[in-house]
Amino acid sequence: MFHPADLNNKFPHSGKKLSIALGALLVSGYAHSQSVSMDFSNEYNASSIHAQGDAYFIDKLAELTDGDIDITLHTGGSLGFNSGDHFYGVADGAVEIADTLSGTMSGIDSLFLLSSLPFIVDDVADARRLYDIAKPYYEEVFADNNQVLLYASPWPPSGIWSEDEVASQDDLESLKIRTFDRNGTETFRNVGASPVSLSWADVVPQLATGGIEAVLTSAEAGANASFWEHQNYFAGVQYAIPLNMVHMNRDAFESLTDAQQDAVMEAASLTDQHNWEAVETRTEENYQTLGEHDVEISDPVSDELLTPLKEAASGVVESWLENTGDDGESILSEFRGAE
């Protein structure tokens, strides 16, 4: 049987060099055996704030692991998953990582409706503080379902995109408006509109065919989907600053070496910080884009619109508290107590 020492015996003056070379090959082979490839699903397009944050995470992780963890980001729902599919898709390992609109996971736990509770936060700083308070609760739900929470991906504030101006409660009457989760559906039903809950992939087709007349979403989302082709107005009602959450299959995470796991969490922490900083300036940038496409912006909006919306929202918050029990009460009490 061949042994590396035989080379040293045959070529005594080259033994040291050969040993070093063989050692390098063995180390290289080990590193290669530890390389990992993963898929990352995101239903929004590549220019969205969420996809850009996910790309930042991938780049940071590649730097921290010298490229040993190779993640492919699939935007625009190209893997066939939308946000509503992601929770179980990641839990079952159909996809290793996903970026998911929080409210689409409300069927798992009503806690995921927290960030889209209407008129709870006033600004991005409030939204971040609320997330920090609730993060341990989110982590527990993911852990109970074979997943790891990596980081949050906040949206700019939600407003109302519409074909005709929405300036008062009368303008909302029977308005066919797309909402993105149960909170929005209940709020707009309470104010007299005709809300329709749709996943993002269905929004533009419904606008194009007249299935909906308006959309509850951010200036960011509308700008990325060229809403000006169908909508003429944006009312910045500051409805909520909802979160997407990026979560990873726990089996995939635990298959990594300890060093790789540490790198994943470090990259996630860096991305979390990056995302919260990025959203601070996004609305101003979006408004500039909307202006370039002749979208009329109302921000701030009139009390004739804002007051009835807030009144309609109060029952939604109370319902959420009933559904989440002590956990919801603890989170909101700590948030409001720190104001």
Side-chain angles (χ1 to χ4, degrees):
M1 179 181 294
F2 170 79
H3 191 278
D6 294 338
L7 289 174
N8 290 343
N9 293 332
K10 189 172 183 180
F11 304 103
H13 299 294
S14 303
K16 186 175 181 181
K17 291 182 181 179
L18 286 166
S19 295
I20 292 172
L22 284 167
L25 285 169
L26 289 170
V27 170
S28 175
Y30 173 77
H32 180 73
S33 71
Q34 295 298 303
S35 295
V36 178
S37 295
M38 297 185 184
D39 289 311
F40 191 152
S41 179
N42 182 325
E43 74 169 316
Y44 301 94
N45 65 38
S47 63
S48 68
I49 191 171
H50 305 291
Q52 290 176 357
D54 297 340
Y56 179 92
F57 167 75
I58 291 169
D59 288 345
K60 288 298 176 185
L61 186 55
E63 291 175 12
L64 291 168
T65 63
D66 293 327
D68 272 355
I69 301 180
D70 178 30
I71 298 176
T72 301
L73 179 62
H74 303 268
T75 58
S78 59
L79 278 182
F81 298 104
N82 60 34
S83 281
D85 304 318
H86 280 161
F87 190 88
Y88 287 117
V90 173
D92 295 340
V95 62
E96 289 88 356
I97 308 173
D99 188 327
T100 305
L101 180 64
S102 180
T104 64
M105 299 182 284
S106 63
I108 311 301
D109 195 305
S110 293
L111 178 68
F112 286 117
L113 289 170
L114 171 64
S115 67
S116 64
L117 286 176
F119 307 109
I120 292 293
V121 301
D122 293 328
D123 51 33
V124 172
D126 268 359
R128 183 169 187 177
R129 186 160 51 83
L130 183 62
Y131 170 68
D132 288 341
I133 291 168
K135 186 177 180 181
Y137 298 85
Y138 293 134
E139 289 175 328
E140 184 176 353
V141 177
F142 281 115
D144 288 344
N145 289 273
N146 195 40
Q147 298 175 64
V148 178
L149 173 61
L150 296 182
Y151 56 88
S153 187
W155 283 95
S158 305
I160 300 172
W161 283 84
S162 58
E163 183 176 356
D164 299 315
E165 185 178 13
V166 174
S168 69
Q169 184 172 4
D170 288 343
D171 297 326
L172 290 170
E173 189 67 34
S174 300
L175 183 71
K176 291 185 291 185
I177 183 170
R178 175 263 183 174
T179 57
F180 49 78
D181 64 17
R182 190 166 72 231
N183 287 341
T185 300
E186 292 179 8
T187 298
F188 280 86
R189 184 180 294 124
N190 290 346
V191 83
S194 298
V196 180
S197 184
L198 294 174
S199 67
W200 184 247
D202 296 325
V203 172
V204 171
Q206 286 295 312
L207 283 174
T209 59
I212 54 175
E213 304 165 294
V215 181
L216 176 67
T217 193
S218 63
E220 161 80 16
N224 275 286
S226 301
F227 270 18
W228 44 78
E229 296 177 0
H230 310 283
Q231 310 273 262
N232 302 312
Y233 295 88
F234 180 77
V237 296
Q238 311 298 314
Y239 170 87
I241 299 178
L243 301 179
N244 276 29
M245 295 187 185
V246 173
H247 46 118
M248 181 177 185
N249 177 271
R250 177 168 289 280
D251 295 332
F253 180 79
E254 292 182 347
S255 72
L256 302 175
T257 66
D258 289 346
Q260 288 172 333
Q261 290 180 22
D262 290 344
V264 167
M265 299 314 294
E266 183 178 350
S269 178
L270 292 169
T271 306
D272 199 65
Q273 179 69 26
H274 169 270
N275 288 351
W276 285 104
E277 291 174 355
V279 77
E280 288 277 5
T281 60
R282 201 71 170 199
T283 296
E284 182 179 348
E285 295 167 4
N286 295 146
Y287 279 6
Q288 181 176 345
T289 301
L290 268 56
E292 292 168 356
H293 289 86
D294 299 322
V295 176
E296 292 194 29
I297 301 168
S298 299
D299 187 358
V301 299
S302 68
D303 288 341
E304 287 78 7
L305 176 59
L306 195 58
T307 299
L309 275 173
K310 287 186 173 181
E311 290 174 352
S314 61
V316 174
V317 176
E318 291 303 317
S319 176
W320 180 83
L321 284 168
E322 291 175 5
N323 289 332
T324 55
D326 291 343
D327 286 350
E329 187 67 47
S330 295
I331 291 168
L332 283 191
S333 292
E334 184 175 348
F335 173 72
R336 288 166 169 163
E339 290 179 333

